[in-house]
Each structure stands twice: as C-alpha cells, then as structure tokens.
Amino acid sequence: MKIALAQLNYTIADIQGNASKIIRAIHEAKEKDADLVVFSELAICGYPPDDLLDYPHFVDECLSALQNIAVETHNITAIVGCPSINVQTHGRNLRNSAFILTNGQIQKKINKTLLPTYDVFNEARYFEANSLFESITINGQNFAVTICEDLWFNNGDFKYAINPIEQINAPKNSWIINLSASPYYHGKYQKRLDVLQKVCQDSDMGLIYVNQVGAHTDLIFDGRSMVLSNKGEMLLELAAYSETLEIFDTEIKHNSTKIKTNENIASIYESLVFGVKDYFSKMGFKQAILGSSGGIDSAVVQALASAALGGENVKAILMPSDFSSEGSVLDAETLSKNLNNSYEIVPISEIFNSYEKSLEPMFKDLPFNTAEENIQARSRAVLLMAISNKFGHILLNTSNKSEMSVGYTTLYGDMCGSLSVIGDLYKTTVYELARFINKDKEIIPINIIDKAPSAELRPNQKDSDSLPEYYILDSILKLYIEERQSADEIIKSGYEEAVVKRVLRMVNNNEYKRFQAPPILKISSKAYGRGRIIPLVSKW
Amino acid sequence: MKIALAQLNYTIADIQGNASKIIRAIHEAKEKDADLVVFSELAICGYPPDDLLDYPHFVDECLSALQNIAVETHNITAIVGCPSINVQTHGRNLRNSAFILTNGQIQKKINKTLLPTYDVFNEARYFEANSLFESITINGQNFAVTICEDLWFNNGDFKYAINPIEQINAPKNSWIINLSASPYYHGKYQKRLDVLQKVCQDSDMGLIYVNQVGAHTDLIFDGRSMVLSNKGEMLLELAAYSETLEIFDTEIKHNSTKIKTNENIASIYESLVFGVKDYFSKMGFKQAILGSSGGIDSAVVQALASAALGGENVKAILMPSDFSSEGSVLDAETLSKNLNNSYEIVPISEIFNSYEKSLEPMFKDLPFNTAEENIQARSRAVLLMAISNKFGHILLNTSNKSEMSVGYTTLYGDMCGSLSVIGDLYKTTVYELARFINKDKEIIPINIIDKAPSAELRPNQKDSDSLPEYYILDSILKLYIEERQSADEIIKSGYEEAVVKRVLRMVNNNEYKRFQAPPILKISSKAYGRGRIIPLVSKW
C-alpha cells in the first residue's frame, strides 16, 4: 500500500487557500499512485486557530471546505485534520478531528483524545476529548488513527489517565497514523523521536507521522514528518522547514536510515531564519527595518533577517547619541555593508535635546537618570516607527531573553517591533549564534562580538555595571524560567544567594514590560509570551 | 448555626499576607460566635494565580500557610480555598480545593469538579477535576461544599457532563456552600443571581455564597457574597467592592430582601473606580499621570482616576501640537481645575520639528501621512513616560474599545500605559459615562462632550472622516466581538454590507496592535486581553 505524507505549510484561517493546497496534494498523491494521503492536524484552518474557533461561522467554513475536498477523493483515501462539532449533548462545543475521505465522501471522523493544555497549548478551551476507540481499515490494511498528543501519553507535562493506542487495541500488523502539529524548540526533535520510537516499540506497530511545517507568528513548526518501523527505526524522513509530499510503500522492505538529530546552534539559526521568512511571507511583507546599534543583539538580528529576506530587503537605521562610541557607528556601517543592507544614519542628539528643553520646566536640575536613558531609547523607536510607517518596512525587535527577563530594556523603546527575533535566546546564546554566523567569514565585525556589552545610554555604561556576568545571569534565569526552580533550589546549585534573589526579583518585577512585548519566536521549552502567563499585580 | 461569610481582598501570591488576613478573619468570626467561617476560592494565593501554579514551591508555600491557618481553628471550623496536590497517579498535577479546617487541623479536602476553561478562565491548564462526591457534616448540619463553577452546570459557555450538586446528593435540609471567585462584568450580577437562584430552587437547598473582592490587574471581583434561601430568596447580601465579614444564623427566620441588581452606568463607574484604586493600592503606587488632550476619553479617565486616587494624586499633561484646537487646551485646563488635578502644558511642536528635521534626508518631500500623525502621538508617549520615569507616576492609558477595535490608535503612542482604564468601553459608553460623571455638576466641560471627536493629528481632522458614526460602529463591533456573529449575520440585522465588511476587516487587521496593549479593566463579557486569543499571522 502506498501512503503519501503531505507536509504542507498552512496559513491560519486561510480556509480556502489551505483547502486548495490540500486538493493539489491529493492530485499529486494520485499521480504518484498513492492509495492514501495523510495531512496534518487541523490542516484546513492551520494550527493553532485559537479563539477563531469560538466563531461558529469559522468552524462552518472549515466543514464546508472539507466537503469540497472530499469530492476530490476518487481512487484515493485522504485523512485530513479539521475542527468539527461535538454532537454529544454535553461537553465542549467542538472536536479536534481527523476525517477519512474516500469515494468523494466523508466516510468517518476520528476525534483527538489527549488535549494538550499547558505551555502554548490551549486545547481544553475548545475541544471535547474522544472516548470511542477503534481501528479503521483502508484497502484491507488496518490503521490506528491518532492526532498529535494522542501519542504523548505519559510524556507531556502531566500524566494522562488513558493511553489512546492501548484503547484502540489495533490488530497485529496495523500501522499507527498520527496527524501532528508539533512546534519546534531546541531539543524538541530528540524528545519527539524518543516519544515516537517508544510508542512504536511498545505497541509493536509502525508509524506514519505527518507534521505541519510553517511559522505561525511565535510558533515555528519544523515539519520533519517521518515513518518509523515497529522497532522505532527511521524508514523515511521528510525535510525540515519545507513543503513536501513523499510516498511510503508499506509493501517494500525499507532500510532504516541513521538518525541525525543535529540539535546545535545551526538548528537554532535555521529555525529563526525560517520563522522570520515565513512571518513576512504570510503577512505579505517584503522589507524589514531595524535599529542597528553596533551591539551584538541588533547585529545578529540583522544577519538573520538578511538570510531570511535577502540583504537588499533589510534596512538598518543607525541612531547614534552623544553617548554612542565612534566604534559602534563604524561597526554598524561595516555590518550593513557586509550584509548588503541599505542603511541610514539618523543622529538623535537634537531630538533628545528638544525633549530636554521641553521638560526643563518640570525636570529643572534633577540629576540624569533612567528617565533620560529611556528618552534616548524611545526617540529611536519613534524614528524607526516613522520610517516603518512612511515606507512600509516592518520593524524587527532586537531584545534578547536575558534583558527581557531582568527588564534591562526600555518599554516602547528597544522593546518595539512586530516580531521579536531573538527574544527567546539568552545573551550567551546570542554570542554563540554570532560566532556561528561568522563561521566561514567575518560577517559580524569581530569588534561587535569582542567588546563589552553596553546599552550606551550614559557615559561609559557597561551591562556588567548593573547585571551579573551573562554566563552567571543566564544560568540562573534558565533554572528559574525553564526549570521552574525556587530561589532556594538555585542557591543550592552553587549560586550566590544575594545574586539569585536579586535576579529573581528583577524577573518578577518586570512582568509588566513583557506583557506589552512583541510576539517572540519560540526556540526554548519555555518562552515568554503565550506559554507563560504570570499575574502582573502580585507579590511574587 | 452561625456561619460567617468572609469576603476579603487578597493579593495574588502574597501567601503570607493572605494567610494573616484569613487568620484575622477567623478570630473575628470567633468573636462573633460563629461556628463556621467560609472564605473564597483559592483564598490563600488569590484568584487567578495563573502559571505561578507551575512552580512547585508556590503550591508548597500555599499548603504550608494552610497548616498555619489550621492551627487557629479551635472552637470554629474554617473552609478555605487553596491549591493542592493531585495524589492520583494520573491527571494534572493539582487540584482546586476547599479545605475544611477544625480543631487545629486539616480535616478534609473537597476538590472542584467543573473547571472553567473559556474566556479569562484557564483552569484545565492546572487542575484535575474532582470525581468523588459527598456531603459533609459540621456541628450536626449537612453541607454540600462546592467551588465557584460547580454551580454553573449548564450555564456557562458550554455544557458540562455532570452536575456536582446532583452528584453530591445531600440530605434534605442541607445547605450548599460555594467558595467563589467570580469576576464582574456589566450584566454579570443578574446572570449570577439567575444561576444561583435556580440552583437553590432545583435542589431545594439554601446557599452560602462567598465571593472574593478585589481587582487583579484586568479582572475586577465585586464581592456581593450572599445567602439565598431554598426558594432563591435573598436572605443576606454583603456589600460590593468592600472587605467585610458578616454572620448568617441558620436557626433564625430571615425575611427576604428585595434584590436590586442596578446594572446601569453607575455600576460601570463604580467598578472602574475600584479597579484603578485597587491596582494602585496593591502595586504600592500613589500617583497617576495621563495625557489630557481635551477629548472625551482622557477626560473620563482623568475623572475616574481622580475618584479612585484623589484629585491631588492625578497629574494631567497637556501636550498641544500645531493641530490642537485652542479649545482643547482650555477645556483640558478647566477639567484639571474642576478635578483638583495638577497639570502641566508641554507643547510638542519643537519635538515634532526635530523629528521632521532628522527625517528630512529620508522623507524628502513625501506627503504628510500616518507617519507624521504617529510621530505626534508617540512624542507625547515619550514625554509621558519620561515624566513617569522621573517622578514615579504611573501612566494610565486612555484608549477606548471602539478605537482599539478598529486600530484608530497609535501603537507606542496613545496605546501606552500601565493600565487601560476604559479599553473595554465602546465610545458610546464613554459618552454615557461622561454624562453620568456630570450628573450633579459640570465636572467634564460640556464642550468636551459636545464637540465632534477628533484625534487632532492633522488639520480639521474628525473621527467621522474615516470611521462610521460611533452608534453604528459600536453596534457592529458588539455583534462581532461580544456576540461572535459573522459578517453575513450582522448585515442581516440591517447594517450596510460595505460598512460591516470594512469594520470587520479593520478589527481583524489590528490584532497586532492589541497584542501589545496594556492590560484592560474588563467590564464586558468579552474584553480584549487574556479572554480573547486571536492569531496574529492569519487570513481572517
């Protein structure tokens, strides 16, 4: 039996566009003699559709598009992910379903059992869980059809009560089919493989696993659909970050291929470039703009954006103040030249002076402090947004996770932007990424990497004046944010008590800034944004 | 039997502070000869604690505070809401529990069954649902102890599978106890009453209902704890928006009091004033600042803030540009004087000119457009934030729901602020509120109410140049946002097709601005913010 794995890039809520894409893939699968073609979870609307599911006409449109897709299923069966109505008299209104389409009709619907509701997942908000279990037969072959989390029994953040694969209890020699929408983070591929291989081994069944590919604002779906044997061997793997349809023939003996998880800095680079590229592509944007300070954060974002959009589509704005070192401007110019970016120099001194003059009656001779530092950062934001508004460039945010964590960043200043590119990378990872970008030649001037980090908002300022060294800061932050350890636990790992308490206090006190931050490309198991909801008014 | 209803104002995560408050209330109840004192849902940590629940040491601290509270329960029983560990081998890690404390010890724990996971509620993210049902006996009296949503069977956004009250099946003459955390919105009090009265009538039991009071950033809890008879008559009602402990004696015959729901503009005013006041009080802030444009939105916020914090604690900044009408400045000055607010006039023309001059090499002779409009709005934000940073005032946001909906607002400009006071009020409601504020005397100069709304960002600009009249706009928005109707349904109600489609497109296209908006005091059934999660990158 020939099974096509259709790994496609859907646009959320572009129901007609997604349906056309699915129909084209059905025809391609037919041309390749496939008996069955499998699509990913909620393919028709893209994953995650969030509260659009609360609009009844949204779900109606999905179901009506499904009918149009069904019409195309002659001489082939298609399994398509689509939200559907819960017809029971109780429970949530919807189901997260896999529809079996064949002979031009909807033949069957199978509902998702395990509904992830943690981190970035909110499925219990919309869907009622499945409680009917059975395997299905297509062209004489048995399948256990499951949806994403259904295979993550006992592997997620908490323990589910039932294991769908055990409940389905499929006959020997069945294959598991899984329609997935599994977002990327660093380390996820290995985790995903471990989980899926164990499912195959425990159940003694092979697995057809179809993930979506594509970035949906903050969430990056890497694809990497695959076929595993009943021993967990890799029989077929689809490329990461690309739309592709491949055929797997269950009747042919396949050699297993060696699995290369390769989760290193290169894979972070790849995912971020893809995240930026797909954001622009789906929004119909072409050109990016960013503030280029001569520091490492903006340099890395500039390089990533150039890789994603082409150097000619990235515009750097250099906005020196009286506190900017001469080197910073020169380094930023060199960077733009290396990346083939256009750039403009717009000094902010006169703007800063006009604020000072306007505020003089109120500020009188009060000493220079955060107020004046922030005026500089915010003047730059006003300039960037003005240029963005005038020419239609999209502003990229350049904050990193370390400074976002401790609030070493100016709200409405350097926190502006449509998309935060490196907001889930600690500063130490930003350095690693800079060195990776320079691996073949010096794209980011080495001076930018070597000099001590500084916001350059007052004379001779250094980050280390008010923050611990980044290798210490980042380790503490990781234990607190990703590992959810308490201050006591972190101190027990060997960090200085005063430092730990100060860092955690800074993290907790700056929740209000992060609340108004742009969406952040997620590359860690716990990113700021939708996956981490913390009260603003609290004593924590 | 004497039952004390303890309606307290908790601070999220202030576990020690909340525990002390609970202990004081236990002593007060004892002094008043109560046999039982009932607290609200998750009283120990305040509701909602959000992802702080993901930190194991957070829950440990709650449970350890509970032990300290238990010690105080001699000659009295206390029922206290607290998160607890799910001891089953499967399911989510936690329970949302009501602990029965007596004789200095934890005697029993009862878990919540119905876990709201819609709009602003996320409980399935953290808690495992209860599946054990039994009534309890305290001093010979039977009680069915429930937690908040447990009484909302078949009354929320979707239908639950089981009705906890039926499952508990308490003996005749039992009382229902409900530990609640039920946030306010306009119309909620009537809905809440309807639900609770029906529960009493259906079960033939009286109800002791204890709600928390207090604002938690965006969510305002109005209190209004109550005792209903088995016929649904109101036997006792606690005051809205205040901390209070009152005794209900089950052995005394009570006359039912007439219920006045009074859900009018006065109740919106009251809740917003309380929301601002409690935000400042819990954050330890004293003084507010806002941009006072001479328009109705900022005027209403200024009046609300003055009512909440005292006129002397509100600072108005008037920032006229060349496009500001003379009347606007005069009106704003009069307003500040009427409210006893200090005010400063900081013109922005020179700042605007310095931006124009700096951008001249790039903008050349391109026509004046949104870019220049936004520079003005953002220059004002920079000034407000500078003053806020210098003097420690907290910036209040003055955007209304109509302009937030259609994006008629500048991100990083007038969208700045720590808290959005009227972001859940459509423009027509803002007018209603202005007239209410002026009911006894002219606080808001009548000119501000009477003149045509304008952003004053270009010569002779009027909102109606680019938007439908507000009474039409607001009606369409309500059908789309609150009622979740489709364009077709709204058009069928009699609105012009082109207008409806344009408005809905504006709403959908401006999701990115709202993503970075401040938290908004919720006063409607569907506010922007945590209760409405919409994808940013989408084709909807």
Side-chain angles (χ1 to χ4, degrees):
Chain A
M1 179 170 191
K2 284 186 175 171
I3 302 172
L5 289 78
Q7 174 177 296
L8 302 181
N9 187 346
Y10 306 101
T11 298
I12 305 267
D14 183 14
I15 299 169
Q16 298 316 316
N18 296 337
S20 302
K21 198 171 253 201
I22 290 168
I23 290 171
R24 282 197 302 276
I26 290 174
H27 290 291
E28 186 186 339
K30 273 204 242 184
E31 280 159 25
K32 292 181 172 170
D33 282 332
D35 307 289
L36 170 65
V37 52
V38 181
F39 297 88
S40 58
E41 180 178 16
L42 297 185
I44 284 186
C45 56
Y47 187 100
D50 297 331
D51 284 3
L52 295 177
L53 291 168
D54 285 345
Y55 281 86
H57 63 285
F58 178 82
V59 179
D60 290 347
E61 259 188 57
C62 290
L63 289 167
S64 130
L66 188 75
Q67 292 286 357
N68 297 339
I69 295 168
V71 170
E72 308 288 331
T73 55
H74 288 286
N75 305 316
I76 193 164
T77 299
I79 306 185
V80 180
C82 182
S84 73
I85 310 292
N86 173 17
V87 294
Q88 282 187 332
T89 54
H90 61 77
R92 286 176 173 77
N93 295 325
L94 301 178
R95 302 279 196 173
N96 181 341
S97 306
F99 281 88
I100 321 291
L101 314 177
T102 196
N103 292 324
Q105 291 189 319
I106 295 174
Q107 200 187 42
K108 196 174 180 64
K109 133 178 145 164
I110 290 165
N111 299 318
K112 188 173 184 177
T113 306
L114 305 185
L115 300 167
T117 304
Y118 55 81
D119 194 54
V120 300
F121 303 107
N122 264 323
E123 294 194 29
R125 188 172 169 94
Y126 316 104
F127 301 118
E128 184 66 15
N130 171 56
S131 54
L132 282 173
F133 300 91
E134 51 179 338
S135 59
I136 62 162
T137 307
I138 300 168
N139 298 5
Q141 169 66 49
N142 282 302
F143 293 97
V145 176
T146 57
I147 303 176
C148 206
E149 189 87 350
D150 284 344
L151 299 187
W152 289 68
F153 172 76
N154 274 0
N155 279 295
D157 274 12
F158 56 88
K159 296 190 171 59
Y160 292 104
I162 50 169
N163 183 347
I165 284 294
E166 278 176 15
Q167 300 288 320
I168 293 171
N169 193 17
K172 215 171 151 52
N173 297 321
S174 297
W175 283 86
I176 299 169
I177 286 176
N178 189 260
L179 286 68
S180 180
S182 177
Y184 166 87
Y185 61 74
H186 189 61
K188 176 77 170 282
Y189 183 52
Q190 185 63 57
K191 182 168 182 184
R192 195 190 285 156
L193 263 178
D194 291 346
V195 167
L196 300 180
Q197 289 180 315
K198 190 163 183 313
V199 165
C200 292
Q201 289 154 0
D202 288 354
S203 66
D204 194 25
M205 288 190 273
L207 168 66
I208 316 286
Y209 174 87
V210 180
N211 192 14
Q212 72 175 359
V213 68
H216 296 302
T217 320
D218 49 341
L219 301 184
I220 300 166
F221 294 85
D222 53 346
R224 289 189 171 116
S225 303
M226 62 181 107
V227 179
L228 297 180
S229 75
N230 61 339
K231 309 231 175 324
E233 300 150 317
M234 182 71 77
L235 303 182
L236 174 69
E237 181 168 24
L238 275 59
Y241 305 111
S242 60
E243 286 197 289
T244 172
L245 179 145
E246 293 199 35
I247 305 285
F248 178 81
D249 191 333
T250 57
E251 258 123 273
I252 290 174
K253 167 123 183 81
H254 293 75
N255 294 323
S256 68
T257 56
K258 200 168 150 30
I259 296 170
K260 292 186 289 277
T261 49
N262 279 344
E263 291 189 273
N264 46 32
I265 194 72
S267 66
I268 293 180
Y269 176 86
E270 193 183 9
S271 74
L272 293 175
V273 168
F274 178 75
V276 172
K277 187 187 172 118
D278 212 32
Y279 176 86
F280 275 71
S281 148
K282 282 177 175 155
M283 297 295 275
F285 300 144
K286 222 174 132 56
Q287 296 193 297
I289 187 178
L290 83 171
S292 185
S293 69
I296 190 152
D297 299 313
S298 56
V300 165
V301 172
Q302 204 170 326
L304 291 165
S306 301
L309 309 172
E312 69 283 8
N313 287 316
V314 176
K315 190 175 205 64
I317 310 294
L318 286 59
M319 296 167 288
S321 75
D322 292 348
F323 308 125
S324 302
S325 62
E326 202 184 321
S328 291
V329 178
L330 292 173
D331 292 339
E333 286 191 88
T334 308
L335 174 69
S336 285
K337 288 173 191 159
N338 290 352
L339 289 167
N340 190 30
N341 301 151
S342 64
Y343 69 91
E344 302 281 346
I345 302 178
V346 187
I348 62 162
S349 303
E350 282 190 42
I351 295 168
F352 180 75
N353 292 340
S354 71
Y355 280 110
E356 284 222 299
K357 200 176 143 203
S358 301
L359 289 166
E360 207 277 324
M362 292 186 74
F363 285 11
K364 299 194 176 77
D365 47 7
L366 288 170
F368 181 106
N369 70 355
T370 326
E372 284 79 10
E373 292 191 17
N374 286 340
I375 289 175
Q376 299 167 65
R378 293 190 178 116
S379 298
R380 292 186 174 118
V382 176
L383 286 168
L384 288 167
M385 289 303 296
I387 300 166
S388 162
N389 288 160
K390 191 59 100 186
F391 300 106
H393 307 320
I394 297 303
L395 178 60
L396 293 176
N397 171 281
T398 61
S399 302
N400 66 59
K401 194 173 189 176
S402 306
E403 63 192 17
M404 293 268 294
S405 294
V406 295
Y408 199 74
T409 172
T410 302
L411 187 56
Y412 319 131
D414 49 290
M415 284 188 67
C416 288
S418 289
L419 185 69
S420 164
V421 181
I422 56 167
D424 199 23
L425 272 66
Y426 291 110
K427 188 83 173 188
T428 43
T429 314
V430 176
Y431 277 103
E432 217 186 320
L433 201 49
R435 285 187 289 266
F436 173 77
I437 289 165
N438 276 5
K439 68 183 185 318
D440 297 325
K441 63 171 183 173
E442 189 179 315
I443 292 172
I444 298 175
I446 196 71
N447 207 20
I448 291 181
I449 302 179
D450 283 350
K451 71 181 168 189
S454 166
E456 297 195 336
L457 294 172
R458 61 167 76 212
N460 304 315
Q461 189 178 28
K462 297 275 168 291
D463 290 10
S464 54
D465 300 343
S466 45
L467 293 176
E469 293 294 339
Y470 277 114
Y471 74 96
I472 296 174
L473 177 66
D474 291 357
S475 307
I476 295 172
L477 290 171
K478 248 180 244 181
L479 293 174
Y480 188 55
I481 305 300
E482 273 91 337
E483 306 297 326
R484 276 159 272 178
Q485 290 191 8
S486 65
D488 288 348
E489 289 169 297
I490 299 170
I491 292 163
K492 270 189 204 134
S493 308
Y495 296 93
E496 215 180 301
E497 177 169 344
V499 174
V500 171
K501 294 207 161 156
R502 190 164 147 258
V503 168
L504 267 50
R505 198 170 52 241
M506 286 195 283
V507 173
N508 296 339
N509 287 350
N510 283 290
E511 214 51 63
Y512 78 99
K513 288 190 185 176
R514 292 187 291 268
F515 187 89
Q516 297 185 44
I520 298 168
L521 289 180
K522 177 181 165 81
I523 62 118
S524 80
S525 62
K526 187 56 81 179
Y528 292 121
R530 71 162 86 197
R532 188 174 185 273
I533 309 161
I534 301 287
L536 298 191
V537 175
S538 86
K539 286 221 173 102
W540 186 236
Chain B
M1 178 170 191
K2 285 187 174 171
I3 302 172
L5 289 77
Q7 174 178 297
L8 303 181
N9 187 346
Y10 306 102
T11 298
I12 306 266
D14 183 15
I15 299 169
Q16 298 316 317
N18 296 336
S20 303
K21 199 171 253 201
I22 291 168
I23 289 171
R24 282 196 302 275
I26 290 174
H27 290 291
E28 185 184 341
K30 272 204 243 184
E31 281 158 24
K32 292 179 173 171
D33 282 333
D35 306 289
L36 169 65
V37 52
V38 181
F39 297 88
S40 58
E41 179 179 18
L42 296 187
I44 284 186
C45 56
Y47 186 98
D50 297 331
D51 284 3
L52 294 178
L53 290 169
D54 285 344
Y55 282 86
H57 63 285
F58 178 82
V59 178
D60 289 347
E61 259 188 57
C62 290
L63 290 167
S64 128
L66 188 75
Q67 292 288 358
N68 297 338
I69 295 169
V71 169
E72 309 288 330
T73 55
H74 288 285
N75 305 317
I76 193 163
T77 299
I79 305 185
V80 181
C82 182
S84 73
I85 309 294
N86 174 17
V87 294
Q88 281 186 332
T89 53
H90 61 76
R92 285 175 175 76
N93 294 325
L94 300 178
R95 302 280 195 172
N96 181 341
S97 306
F99 282 87
I100 321 293
L101 314 177
T102 197
N103 293 323
Q105 291 190 316
I106 296 174
Q107 200 187 41
K108 196 173 179 60
K109 131 178 145 164
I110 290 164
N111 300 317
K112 188 173 184 178
T113 306
L114 306 185
L115 300 168
T117 306
Y118 54 81
D119 194 56
V120 300
F121 303 108
N122 265 322
E123 294 194 29
R125 189 173 168 94
Y126 315 105
F127 301 118
E128 184 67 14
N130 170 56
S131 55
L132 283 173
F133 300 92
E134 52 178 337
S135 60
I136 62 164
T137 308
I138 299 168
N139 297 6
Q141 169 66 51
N142 282 304
F143 293 98
V145 176
T146 58
I147 303 176
C148 206
E149 189 88 350
D150 284 345
L151 299 187
W152 288 67
F153 173 75
N154 274 1
N155 279 296
D157 275 11
F158 57 88
K159 295 189 172 61
Y160 292 103
I162 49 169
N163 182 348
I165 284 294
E166 278 177 14
Q167 300 289 320
I168 294 173
N169 193 18
K172 218 173 148 51
N173 297 323
S174 296
W175 283 86
I176 299 170
I177 286 176
N178 189 259
L179 286 67
S180 180
S182 177
Y184 166 87
Y185 61 76
H186 189 60
K188 176 75 170 285
Y189 183 52
Q190 185 63 56
K191 184 169 180 184
R192 195 190 285 156
L193 263 177
D194 290 346
V195 167
L196 300 180
Q197 289 180 314
K198 192 164 183 308
V199 166
C200 292
Q201 289 153 1
D202 288 353
S203 66
D204 195 24
M205 289 190 272
L207 167 66
I208 315 287
Y209 173 87
V210 180
N211 192 14
Q212 72 175 358
V213 67
H216 296 302
T217 320
D218 49 341
L219 301 183
I220 300 166
F221 295 84
D222 53 346
R224 288 188 172 115
S225 302
M226 61 181 106
V227 179
L228 297 179
S229 76
N230 60 340
K231 309 230 175 325
E233 300 150 316
M234 182 71 77
L235 304 182
L236 174 70
E237 183 169 24
L238 275 59
Y241 305 112
S242 60
E243 286 197 290
T244 172
L245 180 144
E246 294 199 34
I247 304 286
F248 178 80
D249 191 333
T250 57
E251 259 123 270
I252 291 174
K253 168 125 182 81
H254 293 76
N255 294 322
S256 67
T257 56
K258 202 168 148 29
I259 296 171
K260 292 186 288 274
T261 49
N262 279 344
E263 292 190 272
N264 45 32
I265 194 71
S267 66
I268 293 180
Y269 176 85
E270 194 184 9
S271 74
L272 293 176
V273 168
F274 177 75
V276 172
K277 189 188 170 113
D278 213 31
Y279 176 84
F280 274 72
S281 147
K282 283 178 174 154
M283 296 295 276
F285 300 143
K286 219 174 135 59
Q287 296 192 298
I289 186 177
L290 83 172
S292 184
S293 70
I296 190 152
D297 298 314
S298 56
V300 165
V301 172
Q302 203 171 325
L304 291 166
S306 301
L309 309 172
E312 69 284 8
N313 287 316
V314 177
K315 187 172 208 68
I317 310 294
L318 287 59
M319 295 167 288
S321 76
D322 291 347
F323 308 125
S324 302
S325 62
E326 201 184 321
S328 292
V329 178
L330 291 173
D331 292 339
E333 286 191 271
T334 310
L335 174 68
S336 284
K337 287 172 191 159
N338 291 351
L339 290 167
N340 191 29
N341 300 151
S342 62
Y343 68 91
E344 303 281 346
I345 303 179
V346 187
I348 62 161
S349 304
E350 282 191 43
I351 294 168
F352 179 75
N353 292 340
S354 71
Y355 280 111
E356 285 222 299
K357 199 175 144 206
S358 301
L359 289 165
E360 208 277 323
M362 292 186 74
F363 286 11
K364 300 195 175 76
D365 47 6
L366 288 170
F368 182 104
N369 71 356
T370 327
E372 283 79 10
E373 291 190 20
N374 286 340
I375 289 174
Q376 297 167 65
R378 294 191 178 115
S379 298
R380 292 185 174 118
V382 175
L383 285 169
L384 289 167
M385 289 304 295
I387 300 165
S388 162
N389 288 159
K390 191 60 100 186
F391 300 106
H393 307 320
I394 297 303
L395 177 61
L396 293 176
N397 171 280
T398 61
S399 302
N400 66 59
K401 193 173 188 175
S402 306
E403 62 192 18
M404 293 268 295
S405 294
V406 296
Y408 198 74
T409 171
T410 302
L411 187 56
Y412 320 129
D414 49 290
M415 284 187 68
C416 290
S418 289
L419 184 70
S420 165
V421 180
I422 57 167
D424 199 24
L425 272 67
Y426 291 110
K427 188 84 173 187
T428 43
T429 314
V430 176
Y431 277 103
E432 218 186 317
L433 201 50
R435 285 186 290 266
F436 173 78
I437 289 165
N438 276 5
K439 68 183 185 316
D440 298 323
K441 63 173 183 172
E442 189 179 315
I443 291 171
I444 297 175
I446 196 72
N447 206 21
I448 290 180
I449 301 178
D450 283 350
K451 70 181 167 191
S454 166
E456 296 195 334
L457 295 172
R458 60 168 77 211
N460 303 315
Q461 188 177 29
K462 297 273 168 293
D463 289 9
S464 55
D465 299 343
S466 45
L467 293 176
E469 293 293 340
Y470 277 115
Y471 75 96
I472 297 175
L473 177 65
D474 291 355
S475 307
I476 295 172
L477 290 173
K478 249 179 242 181
L479 293 174
Y480 188 55
I481 305 300
E482 272 90 338
E483 306 296 326
R484 276 160 273 179
Q485 290 191 8
S486 67
D488 288 349
E489 290 169 296
I490 298 171
I491 292 163
K492 269 188 204 133
S493 308
Y495 296 93
E496 215 180 300
E497 177 169 345
V499 174
V500 171
K501 294 208 160 156
R502 193 166 143 256
V503 168
L504 267 49
R505 199 171 49 243
M506 286 195 284
V507 174
N508 296 339
N509 287 349
N510 283 289
E511 214 50 64
Y512 77 100
K513 288 189 185 176
R514 293 187 290 270
F515 187 89
Q516 296 185 43
I520 298 168
L521 289 179
K522 177 181 165 83
I523 62 119
S524 80
S525 62
K526 188 55 82 177
Y528 292 121
R530 72 162 87 195
R532 188 173 185 272
I533 309 162
I534 301 288
L536 298 191
V537 174
S538 87
K539 286 223 172 98
W540 185 236

